[in-house]
C-alpha cells in the first residue's frame, strides 16, 4: 500500500524491450537503488567477523554521551575541589598566628635539615637501616597525603567491548549478487577480496552499464590491469534456475550452477555469500511472478540448495518460506547503519541466513517420529532440489504449508 492505494505494478513501468526474456514489470525505486560502497564494506566486515553487528553510528553516539558524562563529572569535581580550597583559605585567614612565631620556626626547621644532611654526608649517605626507614617514612607520608585528600580518583573510561560479533562469522570465499544492477558490489567483492564474484541482472540497460564499468576499470588500469577472470556478470532471470519451463519441463541448469557456484571447490561453496536486494517486498507479492509464487520463495529454494556453511543476505526476511520448526538453518538480523542504501538515509534491517545442515528433524510433540528420540530426519531438499513440503510422518514442519480454514457462518448470513 502506498499513499492509500494498492500497488499492482510497482512504482515504475518499463517497456518490454528493456527487460530480459522471462522477466516481469513489478519493480520499485528500491530495486533501482543499491548498497553504498561504504555500507557494503561494513557488511563484509560484519560477515567476516572484523566488526560487530551494532550500528557504528550508535556506537559513536554512545561514546559521545560517555564523553559528555565524563566532562560533567570532571566539572562537578572541579567545583567540589574549588569549594574545599576556598574553605581552607577562609580558615587560614581567621586562624590566630604571629609572624614572630613563624620566623622562629623557619630557622629551626632549616637548621634541622642542615644537621640531618651533614650526618648523611659523613656516614656516606646514611646506613641501610636509615635509608629503609627514610623510604618507609616517605611511603607513609605519601599514603597519609593520599588518605587526607578529599577528592576521589577519576573513574576509568568505559570502553565498548567488541564482542557482539555475528554468529558463525567467517571469511567469504565466493560472492553472488542476484539483481546486481550496475555491478558495483560484484566488482567490489571480486577486486577487494580477491574471490570469485558473480552477478545476474534482469534489466538489459543496467547490465550494459555494469559491463561498461567492468571494462572501464581494465582500461583505466591497463598498465597494471587487475585479474577479471573470476568476475562474471550475466543478464538473465534468476527464477529460471528454479522453475521448470512449461513447455520443455526443464530449468536452466547452467544458470543454477552459476548462482550456486557448483563449478567451484567445496571450500569455496561453503564460504559462499549470496546477496539479494529484495527491499520493500519487491521480491514478495509485488513481484507478480507468472507462476503465482513470489520471487522470495525462489530465493528460499536456492538457499536450501546451498552447501552447509553457505549464507544468503537479504534486505527482506525470506525465512517465512522455510521450515520454521527445524534446526537446519540460523537466522540473524543486523542493522545496515545510516546511509547504507541509496534510496534512504535511515538504517535498514539486514537478514542473514546460514545453512547448518542438509536435513531437519520434526519438532512437533505429537509426531510419530519422536519415538526415535529427537525425531526422524528429513532432507531439506528432495532429489529434484525442491524444498521438502512437510514431515513424512506427521505432515507438519514448514510454515509455507497452508491449511484450509473452516468457513465462517457469520459471512453466510
Amino acid at each position: 500500500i502506498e499513499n492509500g492505494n494498492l500497488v499492482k505494478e510497482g512504482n515504475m513501468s518499463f517497456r518490454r524491450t528493456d527487460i530480459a526474456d522471462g522477466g516481469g514489470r513489478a519493480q520499485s525505486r528500491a530495486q533501482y537503488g543499491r548498497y553504498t560502497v561504504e555500507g557494503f564494506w561494513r557488511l563484509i566486515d560484519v560477515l567476516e567477523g572484523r566488526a560487530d553487528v551494532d550500528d557504528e553510528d550508535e556506537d559513536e553516539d554512545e561514546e559521545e554521551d560517555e564523553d559528555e558524562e565524563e566532562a560533567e563529572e570532571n566539572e562537578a569535581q572541579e567545583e567540589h575541589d574549588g569549594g574545599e580550597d576556598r574553605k581552607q583559605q577562609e580558615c587560614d585567614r581567621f586562624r590566630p598566628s604571629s609572624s614572630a612565631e613563624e620566623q622562629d620556626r623557619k630557622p629551626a626547621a632549616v637548621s634541622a635539615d642542615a644537621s640531618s644532611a651533614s650526618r648523611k654526608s659523613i656516614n656516606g649517605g646514611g646506613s641501610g637501616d636509615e635509608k629503609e626507614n627514610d623510604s618507609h617514612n616517605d611511603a607513609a607520608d605519601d599514603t597519609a597525603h593520599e588518605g587526607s585528600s578529599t577528592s576521589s580518583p577519576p573513574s576509568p573510561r568505559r570502553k565498548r567491548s567488541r564482542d557482539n560479533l555475528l554468529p558463525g562469522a567467517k571469511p567469504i570465499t565466493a560472492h553472488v549478487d542476484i539483481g546486481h544492477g550496475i555491478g558495483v558490489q560484484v566488482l567490489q567483492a571480486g577486486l577487494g577480496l580477491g574471490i570469485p564474484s558473480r552477478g545476474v541482472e534482469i534489466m538489459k540497460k543496467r547490465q550494459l552499464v555494469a559491463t561498461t564499468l567492468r571494462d572501464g576499470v581494465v582500461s583505466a588500469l591497463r598498465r597494471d590491469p587487475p585479474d577479471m577472470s573470476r568476475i562474471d556478470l550475466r543478464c538473465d532471470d534468476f527464477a529460471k534456475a528454479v522453475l521448470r519451463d512449461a513447455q520443455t519441463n526443464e530449468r536452466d541448469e547452467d544458470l543454477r550452477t552459476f548462482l550456486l557456484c557448483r563449478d567451484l571447490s567445496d571450500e569455496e561453496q561453503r564460504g559462499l555469500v549470496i546477496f539479494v536486494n529484495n527491499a520493500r517486498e519487491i521480491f514478495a507479492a509485488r513481484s507478480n511472478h507468472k507462476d503465482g509464487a513470489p520471487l522470495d520463495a525462489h530465493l528460499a529454494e536456492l538457499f536450501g540448495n546451498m552447501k552447509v556453511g553457505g549464507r544468503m543476505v537479504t534486505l527482506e526476511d525470506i525465512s517465512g518460506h522455510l521450515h520454521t520448526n527445524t534446526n537446519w538453518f540460523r537466522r540473524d538480523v543486523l542493522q545496515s547503519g545510516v546511509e547504507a542504501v541509496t534510496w534512504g538515509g535511515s538504517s535498514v534491517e539486514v537478514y542473514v541466513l546460514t545453512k547448518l545442515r542438509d536435513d531437519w528433524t520434526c519438532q512437533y510433540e505429537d509426531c510419530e517420529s519422536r519415538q526415535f528420540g529427537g525425531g526422524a530426519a528429513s532432507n531439506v531438499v528432495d532429489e529434484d532440489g525442491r524444498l521438502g513440503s512437510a514431515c513424512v510422518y506427521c505432515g507438519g514442519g514448514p510454515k509455507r504449508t497452508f491449511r484450509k480454514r473452516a468457513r465462517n457462518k457469520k459471512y453466510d448470513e
Side-chain angles (χ1 to χ4, degrees):
I1 302 295
E2 290 185 0
N3 298 324
N5 299 320
L6 179 65
V7 177
K8 297 182 179 180
E9 293 186 351
N11 297 328
M12 297 183 180
S13 297
F14 293 87
R15 294 172 297 181
R16 190 173 299 277
T17 55
D18 293 336
I19 304 175
D21 294 338
R25 295 190 178 187
Q27 309 293 339
S28 72
R29 288 187 297 267
Q31 178 65 12
Y32 294 91
R34 61 176 177 83
Y35 230 86
T36 63
V37 173
E38 296 81 2
F40 196 67
W41 278 131
R42 179 182 180 271
L43 177 61
I44 289 176
D45 288 340
V46 171
L47 293 175
E48 294 195 331
R50 290 189 297 270
D52 63 18
V53 299
D54 293 329
D55 188 355
E56 290 180 346
D57 297 289
E58 292 180 358
D59 294 345
E60 293 177 358
D61 293 339
E62 291 183 4
E63 291 178 0
E64 291 178 358
D65 293 340
E66 291 175 1
D67 292 339
E68 292 178 359
E69 292 177 1
E70 185 176 356
E72 292 176 358
E73 292 176 359
N74 293 337
E75 184 178 355
Q77 188 63 50
E78 290 176 359
E79 293 179 357
H80 174 73
D81 294 342
E84 293 292 335
D85 293 340
R86 287 192 294 272
K87 289 181 181 180
Q88 186 65 36
Q89 292 174 3
E90 292 294 331
C91 293
D92 293 340
R93 282 177 55 192
F94 296 101
R95 179 180 298 167
S97 175
S98 63
S99 60
E101 290 178 354
E102 293 179 359
Q103 294 295 330
D104 293 341
R105 284 198 298 269
K106 287 182 179 179
V110 171
S111 61
D113 293 340
S115 61
S116 174
S118 63
R119 285 196 304 269
K120 289 183 180 180
S121 62
I122 295 174
N123 294 329
S127 63
D129 294 339
E130 290 176 351
K131 289 181 179 180
E132 184 176 359
N133 291 336
D134 291 341
S135 63
H136 285 309
N137 292 335
D138 293 340
D141 292 341
D142 294 340
T143 304
H145 177 70
E146 292 177 0
S148 62
S149 176
T150 58
S151 62
S152 60
S155 58
R157 175 66 181 275
R158 292 173 293 176
K159 295 183 178 180
R160 187 175 181 85
S161 61
R162 291 286 181 181
D163 57 356
N164 191 18
L165 298 179
L166 182 72
K170 62 180 181 179
I172 302 171
T173 57
H175 169 258
V176 172
D177 189 348
I178 295 180
H180 63 66
I182 60 176
V184 174
Q185 273 68 54
V186 177
L187 295 174
Q188 187 174 349
L191 299 177
L193 301 179
I195 60 174
S197 186
R198 304 171 175 181
V200 60
E201 171 60 41
I202 195 172
M203 303 297 296
K204 291 181 179 179
K205 290 186 177 180
R206 295 178 68 79
Q207 170 70 5
L208 177 60
V209 175
T211 54
T212 302
L213 287 176
R214 179 195 60 191
D215 298 340
V217 170
V218 177
S219 177
L221 303 175
R222 56 183 176 273
R223 293 185 178 180
D224 186 17
D227 183 11
M228 293 286 190
S229 61
R230 309 193 79 183
I231 296 177
D232 198 351
L233 300 167
R234 293 190 183 184
C235 184
D236 216 329
D237 179 7
F238 88 92
K240 292 180 179 180
V242 178
L243 298 175
R244 292 188 176 275
D245 185 83
Q247 297 179 352
T248 63
N249 195 31
E250 294 181 357
R251 63 189 174 205
D252 194 334
E253 296 296 341
D254 179 66
L255 181 59
R256 191 179 182 90
T257 299
F258 177 81
L259 295 177
L260 295 174
C261 296
R262 289 181 172 174
D263 55 322
L264 303 180
S265 66
D266 289 344
E267 181 180 359
E268 289 172 320
Q269 293 182 58
R270 286 191 291 269
L272 169 64
V273 170
I274 298 179
F275 176 79
V276 190
N277 172 14
N278 63 338
R280 298 183 180 176
E281 300 184 355
I282 55 178
F283 276 27
R286 294 178 61 180
S287 61
N288 296 340
H289 206 273
K290 56 187 177 183
D291 74 328
L295 295 179
D296 282 342
H298 304 327
L299 291 176
E301 187 161 311
L302 277 179
F303 172 68
N305 282 273
M306 296 179 71
K307 286 281 189 180
V308 172
R311 291 175 287 181
M312 180 172 284
V313 181
T314 62
L315 302 185
E316 288 287 348
D317 189 12
I318 66 170
S319 62
H321 300 280
L322 301 172
H323 310 279
T324 57
N325 293 351
T326 59
N327 50 7
W328 66 275
F329 72 93
R330 183 180 63 246
R331 172 183 173 272
D332 300 293
V333 185
L334 58 98
Q335 289 294 321
S336 68
V338 296
E339 297 183 353
V341 295
T342 60
W343 61 86
S346 302
S347 179
V348 299
E349 289 185 336
V350 180
Y351 301 87
V352 182
L353 296 178
T354 305
K355 188 173 181 180
L356 306 177
R357 297 173 52 178
D358 282 324
D359 54 35
W360 58 278
T361 54
C362 185
Q363 302 299 309
Y364 285 109
E365 296 182 357
D366 297 335
C367 181
E368 296 178 0
S369 66
R370 302 290 287 181
Q371 61 183 331
F372 299 106
S378 300
N379 293 330
V380 173
V381 295
D382 58 21
E383 296 179 354
D384 194 38
R386 304 297 300 272
L387 284 172
S389 58
C391 174
V392 296
Y393 291 92
C394 69
K399 183 178 179 180
R400 63 205 302 261
T401 300
F402 298 97
R403 297 180 180 179
K404 294 182 179 181
R405 296 182 179 178
R407 193 169 184 176
N408 194 332
K409 296 182 179 179
K410 184 169 57 177
Y411 294 110
D412 296 336
E413 296 177 354

